[in-house]
Amino acid sequence: MSACNTPAALLSSAELPKSPEGDPVFAEPWQAVAFAMTVRLHEKGVFSWSEWAEALSAELYRPGRKADASDYYDCWVAALSRLVTELAIASGRELETLTKSWQRAAEATPHGRPIILENDPLR
Amino acid sequence: MSEHHHGAGEGHDHHHDNHFTDMEARVKALETVLTEKGLIDPAAIDAIVETYETKVGPRNGARVVARAWSDPEFADWLRRDATAAIASLGFTGRQGEHMRAVFNTPETHNLVVCTLCSCYPWAVLGLPPVWYKAPPYRSRAVIDPRGVLAEFGLELPAEKKIRVWDSTAELRYLVVPERPQGTDGFGEDALAALVTRDSMIGTGLALSPEEER
């Protein structure tokens, strides 16, 4: 990825965990995937910066956050899901159904095979 | 010549080798929907994630290797009981519990294969390379490890034996690369900087001090 592609806008997201060099840091791989998807959607103009900032704030400043902020990317995913439903890309129910489907697919996948959605026995 | 090893537990019947946490499954669900609608391309997402390769997880394997290079007693412990030796450095976690360390020597090179169900120990090794997920990589690495390594730019002398280790749901592998020349007197921080992700899965070697600079 070239320097001009760096997700400068998303790096200004409120409270984003960063390294001393200013790069985003992730505790687990899914967090990096969530970040990357948001970068792409924003780059493509699926939502504006202010739409994103607003959705993220709504989740970050919700009561009941963890004191150590270890749920930062849980909030991020909630904000992204909210935008996806608000923009009618998918319904909340669709996302829930797919989430459960992925979980069943993982459980049904034997070791050594890639986990694919088709492995969900109920699909 | 090469040998193919399976870890303990191979052949047992495991119904729950794989598991997604709620958040992992949610992110997969979003990825599925956004891909179906043509809004994202998974390859583009992988490419972005790969640029953050060194920013994901604690990546504490390099410190384990650096300690093993510096402290023969620790190296010995790591060889006998990697799980306990790694935990002694304070590195534990969902993904890092059952580890075995395999040591490269002048005679033998070790290579770990895995198709990334959920057994890749990213907390220790950092993010896996994108190509690591490809099923053909796993089968080819078993059949022709020397050829696969050559493709990654690692040409090993013909007399060097290659051992291929297949991760299981219970046991994950950490390759301890050979300590590079010209590192006498290096402290653990300086040594850890030479230990790349690729050197800990066996598709590369540890960097020399010149390469690191």
Side-chain angles (χ1 to χ4, degrees):
Chain A
M1 195 165 77
S2 63
C4 61
N5 272 339
T6 48
L10 270 292
L11 282 176
S12 329
S13 296
E15 297 179 28
L16 184 74
K18 287 185 208 169
S19 69
E21 298 82 42
D23 296 312
V25 291
F26 309 97
E28 299 191 25
W30 62 264
Q31 301 176 353
V33 175
F35 182 83
M37 290 195 297
T38 314
V39 167
R40 284 300 287 156
L41 293 174
H42 177 253
E43 276 175 358
K44 284 192 139 188
V46 174
F47 45 72
S48 68
W49 165 249
S50 60
E51 283 174 309
W52 168 247
E54 203 175 301
L56 182 61
S57 298
E59 297 298 333
L60 289 178
Y61 304 122
R62 194 189 275 282
R65 285 283 315 276
K66 289 191 182 158
D68 64 359
S70 61
D71 57 353
Y72 182 83
Y73 274 100
D74 297 28
C75 298
W76 185 288
V77 169
L80 183 57
S81 305
R82 171 200 283 247
L83 278 179
V84 163
T85 52
E86 278 176 8
L87 298 168
I89 296 165
S91 68
R93 177 183 284 192
E94 253 178 288
L95 287 178
E96 283 307 312
T97 305
L98 265 174
T99 300
K100 297 219 159 53
S101 191
W102 270 110
Q103 275 173 324
R104 286 190 301 263
E107 301 282 336
T109 303
H111 172 79
R113 304 274 170 77
I115 298 168
I116 50 173
L117 192 56
E118 289 69 30
N119 292 353
D120 172 12
L122 299 186
R123 263 182 101 79
Chain B
M1 75 160 261
S2 74
E3 298 171 30
H4 182 212
H5 294 258
H6 289 276
E10 180 79 14
H12 293 209
D13 190 16
H14 293 288
H15 295 288
H16 295 287
D17 283 352
N18 286 300
H19 174 75
F20 274 161
T21 62
D22 184 50
M23 293 312 295
E24 283 169 331
R26 274 176 199 286
V27 169
K28 291 302 281 184
L30 282 165
E31 195 178 17
T32 305
V33 159
L34 295 167
T35 304
E36 275 170 7
K37 307 275 171 177
L39 294 170
I40 59 166
D41 166 11
I45 299 303
D46 278 348
I48 298 176
V49 169
E50 196 158 51
T51 64
Y52 296 117
E53 178 215 313
T54 62
K55 310 293 176 200
V56 180
R59 298 195 317 125
N60 38 39
R63 306 215 62 85
V64 173
V65 171
R67 173 67 60 86
W69 284 346
S70 315
D71 178 348
E73 256 180 59
F74 181 81
D76 197 44
W77 188 14
L78 189 63
R79 198 173 276 119
R80 283 183 286 108
D81 185 355
T83 307
I86 292 170
S88 78
L89 298 183
F91 306 149
T92 50
R94 183 165 80 84
Q95 299 271 342
E97 310 89 302
H98 303 286
M99 298 287 300
R100 175 161 174 196
V102 289
F103 288 67
N104 286 350
T105 66
E107 294 79 35
T108 308
H109 182 84
N110 294 285
L111 172 66
V112 181
V113 295
C114 172
T115 34
L116 275 197
C117 21
S118 50
C119 65
Y120 181 87
W122 52 264
V124 175
L125 300 181
L127 263 197
V130 167
W131 46 259
Y132 211 65
K133 299 187 207 184
Y137 160 74
R138 178 187 168 108
S139 44
R140 289 194 42 233
V142 170
I143 298 162
D144 177 24
R146 202 172 296 272
V148 168
L149 289 177
E151 278 170 37
F152 292 122
L154 181 57
E155 303 267 3
L156 293 173
E159 64 276 13
K160 194 167 227 180
K161 211 160 82 172
I162 303 174
R163 293 182 127 183
V164 180
W165 302 89
D166 197 347
S167 306
T168 71
E170 295 80 23
L171 192 60
R172 300 89 194 262
Y173 292 92
L174 163 72
V175 175
V176 180
E178 287 182 272
R179 181 169 173 162
Q181 308 240 312
T183 57
D184 293 350
F186 275 40
E188 282 185 29
D189 285 344
L191 288 173
L194 304 175
V195 184
T196 60
R197 183 262 324 268
D198 288 357
S199 73
M200 293 187 285
I201 57 178
T203 58
L205 304 176
L207 302 176
S208 67
E210 295 75 37
E211 286 171 312
E212 202 265 324
R213 244 173 250 130

